[in-house]
Each structure stands twice: as structure tokens, then as C-alpha cells.
Amino acid sequence: MSRTTRRRFLASATAVAGAMPLARRVGLAQSSQHAASDLKLWYTRPAAQWVDALPLGNGRLGAMMYGGGPVAPFNANDPSAQHQTNDVAMDPAKETLQLNEDTLWSGMPVDGNNLQAKQYLPAIRDAVLKQKDYHLADKLCTGMQGLFAEAYQSMGYLHVDCAHDGAVTEYRRELDLATALAGVRYRVGDAQFERTAFVSAPDQVMVLRMTASKPGALSASIWMDGALVQQVRAHGGNGLWMTGKAARHVAGAGHPGSEKPVVFSDVPGEGMYYAACLHVSTEGGHVTAHGDRLRVEGAAAMTLYLTAATGFRGYDKMPDARPNQIEQRAARQLSAALRSSYEQLRERHVADHRRLFERVSLRLGAGEPDARPTDVRVAAFPGAPDPALLALYFHFGRYLLIASSRPGTQPANLQGIWNYQVQPPWSSNWTSNINIEMNYWPAETCNLSDCAEPLFDLVEGLSHTGARAAKETYGLPGWVSHHNIDLWRAANPVGMGVGKPTWANWCMSGPWLCAHLYEHYRFTRDRAFLRTRAYPLMKGSAEFCLAWLIPDGEGHLTTCPSESTENNFMAPDGKPAMTSAGCTMDMALIRELFANCIESAKELGVDADFAGKLADARAKLVPYQIGRYGQLQEWSIDFVESTPGQRHMSHLYPLYPGGEITPRETPKLAQAARVSLERRLAHGGAYTGWSRAWAIAFWARLGEGDKAAESLNMLMKVSTNINLMDIYEGRAHIFQIDGNFGATAALAEMLLQSHAGSIDLLPALPASWTEGEVRGLRARGAVEVDLRWEHGKAVHAALRPQFAGVYKLRAPAGQKIQSVIAGAAAELKSEADGSVSVQLEGKQSYRVLFA
């Protein structure tokens, strides 16, 4: 593709662009009929735009399967007609798969820090703490900003155009969450046609199989294209090579160079090369090459195998691998996959997926499986309760995490691993002022702990680039990161002098990311992980935070500059400002990080002096405060909110995902948090899917099941697409995966909580969820939990602790734990807080009965 054609492609790019549980379950069997039928998304027509397609992935390779292709013919030299955000007429006899590889990003390693940043810091602190000139502080903060981060990219498209003599009838498109198989089936006359696609993690290959019930009835043209593609060529008579090169730089949102948003370079390393290798085999018929396309004639079945590789060599290395080296890697992957039959590849893929997916099951409601297509159910949901659809949504969130984040891959980004654009929304990067963290909220509670490994790998890399950012931007020890992270582990404040400080200068993602490390330890009790991975990273972040704290002049330690994520306040002159000192979220994150480091040092028997310093500093942090409306203050000063309906609710972090504020232990602060939440919602907050998901979790932590259900219903109504993907502000062409993950985690939080020292069973069960059961959720302390309830009351639970110990259990409101049994009944001890404590043995299964 020429540079000019490629730019035309970019300009218009958008629809065809557009571990098994211990002591297996006792007493909570779920009918196979219900499980099988209600774990499928299905439709009666192809996807008419990218966001309606069905996602497949193995953590590294991603594909969006349309179940059709555009009716209008393509011009390979002018592909702009393929790409639009609006619905297009689709031919169900065709197939389109949009392709991704998780290391295909623009750019290369650079030092994005502003080396002049340190000189602004004293003046900013003076402006805030002495002059109270917050506007001056905002202006000075822009002088500390460095380069923008880079963007996640799309490899291109695979097209398979079949032609039939007759009309397509009985069309069905589906995604089976239980097997991670996507499929299409339809009839033409008396012939049945079927397609099945999957992306295998064990074999690192994408597979598409197409069959016809009549011998010789399958013929197709196969081709590939994409915005970054430089060449497509046939090889061996039954294969295609697609090669391309990512941009040297893709401008981020608000970038001052956005008049030239995409910069290409032919220099190796200035943007990476990539390659995709396709092989086609047939049963009956034959395959021939025609230029840059393949033609299948007269087959009963054909199977397409695709592998891909990029020039990425590590976050700190130039991606300068040459095209022939990359092609060789992709070819080796393909050769390895082709040593197995289609049936063997499929069997290994399904077994690998089930190993993860079947750890948890959920049933809401007692009715028969719903026979309607998924899009019909979504459209009807606001007016017709469909608890089974909520369960399907929960399972879809778990499916997305399995498909987009596996050990050894990159973490799930803003769109998981799926993106069709060269300039995707918010660069499809890792936005770390909530979004990447929310992506991993369900990992521990929903028993997908191993899927969080890519996040831990990212934090480890970030600690290195972040140490440079701490030194060059602030002149401080330890490591720091800000609100945008890319493949190259950008840790600097972005913005280039034009970014709003409330997002560009926010520097607290390090402590937030470190919370995931310690939570992993709390859920798994993996002491080796704590010693070798988590604690060193936490300590480095704490070292920065300890040095970042300064006296506030009123006897406390504070942070300055401080930003409450993407929000602003009314300064004394009545105008909005952003930069102040000691925002509530800063204090919450640092307070939590220091506490986790202190506990870790004690557990490991190390760093007693350092832990003592953290404890001293923690005691001096600005305390949580209650403001004029009875709300939990967002800022250390009770400023008037300039945007009371802000989607970010960062000051409520200690309610969730933190655990410092609870209705039982800190009732006054919990009530203040509730007032803050109610005010946000009353002013139109939580209008994005991820923000609404956060609201669900807040209500769950407050024990308000009906309120949580109300917000969950709102998320389904406003922010859920026909394929259950979370969509931004109802604009169906923008997909944000964090809403899916956040809501999945929040739903689990309604059923099980363990953050406050006890395992709370059904802590926020809505009245409308009268019957249901869940199996395999995880509680802190390495305990698996099953629950069943009827008529709104728990009737049975099962506990499977990994380790022996004393565990505190709390029954649902209005109920008591009658007995805990494993052979004989265990002795229960009533606690003053209404819970019971019980000694449990590891690797045993216990039944919990209720009164």
C-alpha cells in the first residue's frame, strides 16, 4: 500500500473497520442445560459495524468476528469504502475478521520526561500553600509536562468472500463463552453452511473453519488488507503473507501536534514492522493463488490458520527487527500449529479455556433459559427484568479477561486487545487514573488470579521507567507513574504544556497499581510472590511517596501539587481550578500503600526501620474530612465543586476498591461517602459505563443491594451494546472494556465481600434477585466460596480454604450461621461484631448452613 493510499485509509478508518478449584463443588450442582444455553451470545444477522462484532483472543492475538462482510465490492487499492462507523449492508455469505497483536504499538522507547520540570516544583508549592493562587499553580504545572504516550494499533483484516446460488436463510451468529468458540451457520437451499473461529492460547494460532453439508459446495476468495499494511503476497499456492509497519508516532488526545496526528518512517525501529502468516487447507476442491488473493473452489470444508509477530523486543529496546526476522517467527508459529489437526487444536483450545472459565458459575433467577437473541434481550431489558442476562453479562466480563490477559502477554488495555483504528480513542493505551486498575478488579474475586500476571509484569517494567521519571521530573528517590502508560512503559507526566493538570500531572498511579500486588497476596497468601515481586515494587513506590510528602503548615503531611482525577473546584475568585494540596485520593492511596508495606515488612521480617518511618508519616497524613453537605470531602479544603456530576469519584477510593471506610468500622465516614455518592448521581454522574460500574461497587460496599441493582440496570440500559460490550456515552462506535470489568467485579462484590477481616456472605443481595447460586468466587485468605439462596435467603454455602486457620464468617442480614460442617460440625465462636469465627483446615470443603 502506498503512503498516500495508507493516509486515505487512516482518514476514513472506522464498521468493517469501523487452575481447577480444590475439593470440587459440594451440593451446588448447576443444570447443564441452563449453563449451556445461557452462556451464549447469539444473533440473527451479521455485525453491521466493528463494535457489534464478537471478540476472540488468547491474550496476545485478538480478532473481532463479524459473521459477514460488506455487500459492496472492495477496491484493494482504495480500501476507504470498507471503513465507516455507521451500519453497512452486510452479506452473511462473507466473513470478516479484524486482527490485533498485543505488542503492535506506534513509537519506540523514548525519555518522555521534561528535564526542566524540577524547577517548577517550588513555585507550584508556594502558589498553593502560601499564595492560595490555584490558577497560577495550574499554569506552572503545565511546565512540568513531558511527551505524550503512544497508541495501540490494528494489524488489519482477513476477508473470506463466499458466493452461493441462492438466498441465505436460517442465519445464526454466536459466541459460546464456555468454549470461546465463535460461529455462524445458515442455509442456502438444502445445503447447510457453518463457520467456527477461535484463537488458541496453547498453540498461539487463530483458526477459522468453514464447512458445507454438500460436497463441493464451498468456494471463496480470501484476501487481507489494513491501514498499516505495506504488502500482501501469496506464498506456496495456499498461503498469504501480510506485512506492515506501525507509525513512528501517533498523537494522543489533546496533542499539540495533532494537525499531523500520524507520522510514518521508513527507518527500522522508528515504528515496528509486523507480519501475519495465513495457511489454507481444504477437504475436497483446491486452492490457487491469484495475485495477492487465494481462491478456493469446490471444497466441502476449508480451514484457515493465521499466526502473527511484531518487531517488539522489549519495552526498553528499539523495535528494529527486520521484516524477514519477523516473518520467520510467524512462520515458525504456523509450522508448529500445523503439526496438529484442526480437531486437536480445537480440543486443546477448549480445554485450556475451560480450565479458567469453569472456575466460577453464576445463576440468577429460576426461570427457563431465555430463547431470544441477545440483542433483543438487551433492547428489552429496561422494561423487562432479565436476571439471566445480568448473569450472562457477568460471565462475558470473565470471558473478556481470559481472552485479553494471559501470563506472558501485555495487560488488557482500554479496549482489551481489540482495536481497529490507527488513532483509537484515548490511544487505546493504559490509562492509569482508574481504567487499567478497573480492568483487573475482577481478577482475584472471580478466580482469575493468573490472568493478572501481565499487570504485575507491567508494574515491574514501570518501576524502572518510573525511577527515571522520579529522578528527572521531581528529583526524588523511588519510582513514580502518572496517568498514561504505553507499551514502552511511559511513566512521565504527559501533556507537552497543553495538558490539563487534573489528568496530565496526576502522579498517584504507582500506589494504586501497587494495591493490586498486595491484594494478590491477600487473596492467594503466596508468600514467595510477596517477598520476590510485590514488596520490592511496593517499597519503591513508598520511597517516592515518603519523599513526596511535605508539611502543610498545620501539623500534617500533604502532597503538592495534588490533583483529584479529572475534576476541578471553584477557586476563591469563583473560577474553576485544578491544582491544590492533599486531595483525598492522594491521602487514601498513600495511607493504604504505607499500611501494606508495614504489614509486608512485618510478615517478611525485613526493613523494620523503613516500616517505622512509614508508620510515623502515615500518622501525620491529612485526615479524611466531612464537608458542608455532610459529604466526604474531595479536597483537603471544602471547595465548592465546579462539576458536581463528575464521572470520576476518586475521593471514594477508601470505600472501594480500598477498604479503609466501612459502614461497620467507620460509620460516620461511610455515611459521608454515601452523601458524596448520592450527590454525584443526583447531578448526572456515573454517565459512563466504567463510572456506573464504580457506583455499583460503592453501593455494594455500603450494603445497599437494591441501589446496586438499580445502577447495574442503568448500566445495562445506557452503556451496554448488543454484544454486551461497554460503550461510551451511548456512542456505539467507542468501546471501553473497563466498564465490563468493573461491573463484573461489582456484581461479585454484591454476593461476597472479604475486605474488612471477615467473609461476608450475600452482603448486598437485591430484593429482586430472589433465587440464584454462585460457585467458585474467591475471598481473601485463599478461600473459595459457593452460595445458594432462595426467596432472598441464603440456604447453603460451601467454603474451600487453601490454608488452615481461623476464619471469620458473616451471615446475610437477618440470618445466622447455624453450622459449619466437614464430616463433623466445627466449633463456632460468636464475635462482638456479629460475625462468627471458626477453625478450618486447609484443602477441605465445608458446608455452611443457615438459620
Side-chain angles (χ1 to χ4, degrees):
M1 185 185 295
S2 70
R3 183 72 56 81
T4 300
T5 301
R6 190 184 337 172
R7 286 192 180 122
R8 283 209 311 271
F9 200 114
L10 301 181
S12 58
T14 66
V16 175
M20 296 295 290
L22 298 167
R24 287 302 291 176
R25 322 295 188 206
V26 285
L28 291 177
Q30 184 181 45
S31 77
S32 58
Q33 179 190 18
H34 194 285
S37 60
D38 253 4
L39 287 174
K40 289 183 179 180
L41 287 67
W42 72 279
Y43 309 87
T44 58
R45 58 183 183 272
Q49 55 180 335
W50 180 86
V51 78
D52 296 339
L54 296 174
L56 297 165
N58 65 2
R60 184 179 74 87
L61 297 173
M64 290 288 280
M65 184 177 183
Y66 285 69
V71 170
F74 293 146
N75 179 343
N77 295 318
D78 185 14
S80 60
Q82 304 170 42
H83 302 278
Q84 55 191 21
T85 52
N86 298 321
D87 290 0
V88 295
M90 301 292 279
D91 183 347
K94 299 180 179 181
E95 187 53 80
T96 307
L97 292 109
Q98 183 270 321
L99 308 171
N100 288 103
E101 205 275 358
D102 73 335
T103 63
L104 184 60
W105 287 65
S106 63
M108 53 194 166
V110 296
D111 182 3
N113 294 288
N114 179 348
L115 299 183
Q116 307 303 315
K118 291 191 295 289
Q119 71 185 39
Y120 290 91
L121 191 55
I124 294 170
R125 288 173 166 173
D126 184 81
V128 171
L129 296 173
K130 294 182 179 179
Q131 300 180 52
K132 312 297 183 185
D133 190 340
Y134 306 109
H135 304 299
L136 175 60
D138 287 344
K139 182 177 180 180
L140 291 169
C141 277
T142 63
M144 300 186 73
Q145 296 170 3
L147 300 180
F148 278 86
E150 292 295 337
Y152 183 52
Q153 302 288 275
S154 169
M155 284 199 299
Y157 294 82
L158 169 63
H159 308 271
V160 183
D161 296 351
C162 298
H164 304 305
D165 295 328
V168 170
T169 62
E170 301 178 32
Y171 177 92
R172 177 179 171 120
R173 173 173 66 106
E174 71 175 34
L175 173 63
D176 187 341
L177 303 182
T179 60
L181 299 172
V184 170
R185 68 173 181 261
Y186 57 85
R187 300 189 68 85
V188 177
D190 59 354
Q192 174 93 8
F193 294 86
E194 295 187 6
R195 335 197 251 268
T196 302
F198 59 89
V199 184
S200 167
D203 292 288
Q204 292 296 305
V205 63
M206 189 199 81
V207 181
L208 172 63
R209 180 166 175 83
M210 310 179 74
T211 63
S213 62
K214 282 188 172 183
L218 194 58
S219 298
S221 177
I222 302 169
W223 52 289
M224 304 173 78
D225 70 351
L228 302 177
V229 173
Q230 294 183 330
Q231 184 184 49
V232 177
R233 68 181 191 275
H235 73 96
N238 62 348
L240 290 176
W241 277 107
M242 178 175 71
T243 56
K245 193 173 189 289
R248 181 183 186 276
H249 176 64
V250 174
H255 195 295
S258 58
E259 68 276 6
K260 292 184 178 180
V262 182
V263 180
F264 290 100
S265 171
D266 293 325
V267 178
E270 293 186 355
M272 67 179 74
Y273 290 102
Y274 69 93
C277 183
L278 178 72
H279 173 87
V280 180
S281 66
T282 63
E283 297 172 22
H286 58 276
V287 188
T288 55
H290 297 267
D292 59 0
R293 300 192 178 202
L294 300 178
R295 180 69 189 170
V296 174
E297 297 282 357
M302 64 178 179
T303 309
L304 286 67
Y305 307 84
L306 184 140
T307 58
T310 76
F312 180 66
R313 300 192 303 117
Y315 72 87
D316 55 350
K317 297 178 178 63
M318 289 292 287
D320 53 6
R322 300 306 175 102
N324 64 315
Q325 297 172 309
I326 299 167
E327 290 182 14
Q328 289 170 9
R329 281 198 279 119
R332 286 194 297 268
Q333 294 170 6
L334 183 61
S335 178
L338 291 176
R339 296 189 189 106
S340 300
S341 67
Y342 165 78
E343 290 76 14
Q344 290 170 325
L345 293 172
R346 173 173 167 155
E347 182 179 358
R348 282 198 295 268
H349 159 73
V350 171
D352 172 75
H353 177 75
R354 282 181 167 156
R355 175 182 61 86
L356 297 167
F357 189 81
E358 290 184 351
R359 292 177 182 175
V360 171
S361 66
L362 172 68
R363 174 179 59 81
L364 296 176
E368 290 299 314
D370 198 304
R372 295 172 297 169
T374 306
D375 53 339
V376 175
R377 295 173 69 184
V378 171
F381 186 86
D386 188 351
L389 183 61
L390 298 177
L392 184 65
Y393 185 95
F394 171 82
H395 289 305
F396 184 61
R398 295 172 49 244
Y399 168 87
L400 289 175
L401 188 57
I402 295 169
S404 63
S405 184
R406 294 290 197 100
T409 73
Q410 298 298 312
N413 62 48
L414 282 175
Q415 298 185 154
I417 51 169
W418 302 281
N419 165 48
Y420 67 92
Q421 295 168 292
V422 173
Q423 289 182 266
W426 305 284
S427 299
S428 192
N429 61 25
W430 295 290
T431 305
S432 52
N433 63 5
I434 189 172
N435 310 86
I436 185 175
E437 293 90 351
M438 184 177 283
N439 283 4
Y440 287 90
W441 285 355
E444 306 294 345
T445 55
C446 294
N447 214 338
L448 293 173
S449 197
D450 27 6
C451 290
E453 286 191 23
L455 178 66
F456 307 151
D457 292 339
L458 178 140
V459 177
E460 191 164 346
L462 200 60
S463 71
H464 296 288
T465 55
R468 186 173 188 173
K471 181 179 179 180
E472 293 183 351
T473 300
Y474 302 105
L476 296 178
W479 66 273
V480 65
S481 62
H482 296 78
H483 112 291
N484 267 350
I485 306 168
D486 60 17
L487 182 71
W488 316 107
R489 305 303 185 251
N492 59 276
V494 302
M496 296 178 67
V498 299
K500 292 183 178 180
T502 189
W503 50 266
N505 291 80
W506 183 78
C507 64
M508 284 287 112
S509 63
W512 198 341
L513 292 166
C514 283
H516 286 259
L517 299 168
Y518 194 67
E519 283 292 273
H520 182 73
Y521 168 69
R522 293 183 71 192
F523 275 91
T524 65
R525 294 179 62 179
D526 185 343
R527 204 163 180 270
F529 172 83
L530 180 66
R531 181 178 61 253
T532 62
R533 296 200 72 185
Y535 179 65
L537 295 170
M538 292 159 54
K539 180 180 178 181
S541 180
E543 286 172 335
F544 172 81
C545 291
L546 191 61
W548 182 236
L549 291 169
I550 58 173
D552 68 351
E554 298 180 7
H556 296 112
L557 292 177
T558 192
T559 54
C560 187
S562 179
E563 314 290 340
S564 192
T565 57
E566 303 193 30
N567 203 3
N568 47 31
F569 56 88
M570 302 305 292
D573 64 357
K575 297 178 181 179
M578 294 168 275
T579 305
S580 65
C583 289
T584 298
M585 190 187 208
D586 284 13
M587 297 298 102
L589 288 167
I590 294 174
R591 188 176 280 113
E592 179 185 66
L593 174 64
F594 285 6
N596 292 345
C597 285
I598 293 166
E599 288 298 315
S600 298
K602 180 180 178 181
E603 172 71 18
L604 299 172
V606 299
D607 292 336
D609 290 344
F610 181 65
K613 293 178 182 178
L614 297 181
D616 290 343
R618 188 175 186 274
K620 297 176 184 177
L621 293 175
V622 176
Y624 299 128
Q625 299 174 78
I626 298 175
R628 70 189 74 184
Y629 304 109
Q631 89 284 9
L632 184 68
Q633 285 184 198
E634 188 164 353
W635 298 272
S636 59
I637 297 173
D638 193 11
F639 293 119
V640 173
E641 300 163 297
S642 59
T643 313
Q646 219 326 303
R647 64 198 177 279
H648 282 262
M649 296 176 272
S650 62
H651 54 310
L652 301 186
Y653 177 93
L655 178 62
Y656 185 90
E660 195 175 2
I661 294 177
T662 71
R664 189 168 289 107
E665 298 295 327
T666 57
K668 291 183 179 180
L669 290 176
Q671 175 59 26
R674 180 189 180 112
V675 172
S676 290
L677 177 58
E678 290 173 335
R679 284 179 52 80
R680 273 291 203 272
L681 298 180
H683 287 88
Y687 54 84
T688 64
W690 64 261
S691 183
R692 182 61 65 173
W694 206 357
I696 302 166
F698 290 145
W699 286 123
R701 283 287 176 91
L702 291 169
E704 295 280 2
D706 289 342
K707 289 287 188 181
E710 180 182 306
S711 271
L712 181 55
N713 292 344
M714 184 64 72
L715 178 140
M716 295 296 296
K717 176 182 178 180
V718 175
S719 302
T720 301
N721 194 40
I722 63 169
N723 60 357
L724 303 187
M725 282 181 166
D726 180 79
I727 52 176
Y728 179 68
E729 293 182 351
R731 296 151 58 191
H733 61 289
I734 297 182
F735 164 47
Q736 280 193 297
I737 202 170
D738 43 13
N740 288 103
F741 291 140
T744 298
L747 197 154
E749 205 73 18
M750 296 166 70
L751 303 177
L752 180 71
Q753 296 178 20
S754 61
H755 59 286
S758 61
I759 298 175
D760 297 359
L761 308 175
L762 302 181
L765 185 70
S768 58
W769 296 3
T770 56
E771 296 190 35
E773 62 181 332
V774 65
R775 304 184 301 157
L777 293 180
R778 294 274 284 184
R780 292 162 183 84
V783 184
E784 277 194 6
V785 180
D786 304 341
L787 287 159
R788 186 173 74 239
W789 64 97
E790 297 174 359
H791 308 294
K793 299 290 186 180
V795 296
H796 182 83
L799 304 176
R800 291 178 295 280
Q802 177 78 31
F803 302 98
V806 176
Y807 295 84
K808 289 179 65 175
L809 310 176
R810 191 179 306 280
Q815 293 189 266
K816 293 182 179 181
I817 293 175
Q818 185 178 60
S819 59
V820 177
I821 303 171
E827 182 180 352
L828 302 181
K829 178 184 176 182
S830 298
E831 302 290 348
D833 64 356
S835 65
V836 298
S837 59
V838 59
Q839 173 72 42
L840 303 180
E841 298 303 316
K843 298 181 173 62
Q844 295 288 323
S845 187
Y846 293 83
R847 289 182 295 134
V848 181
L849 302 181
F850 300 89

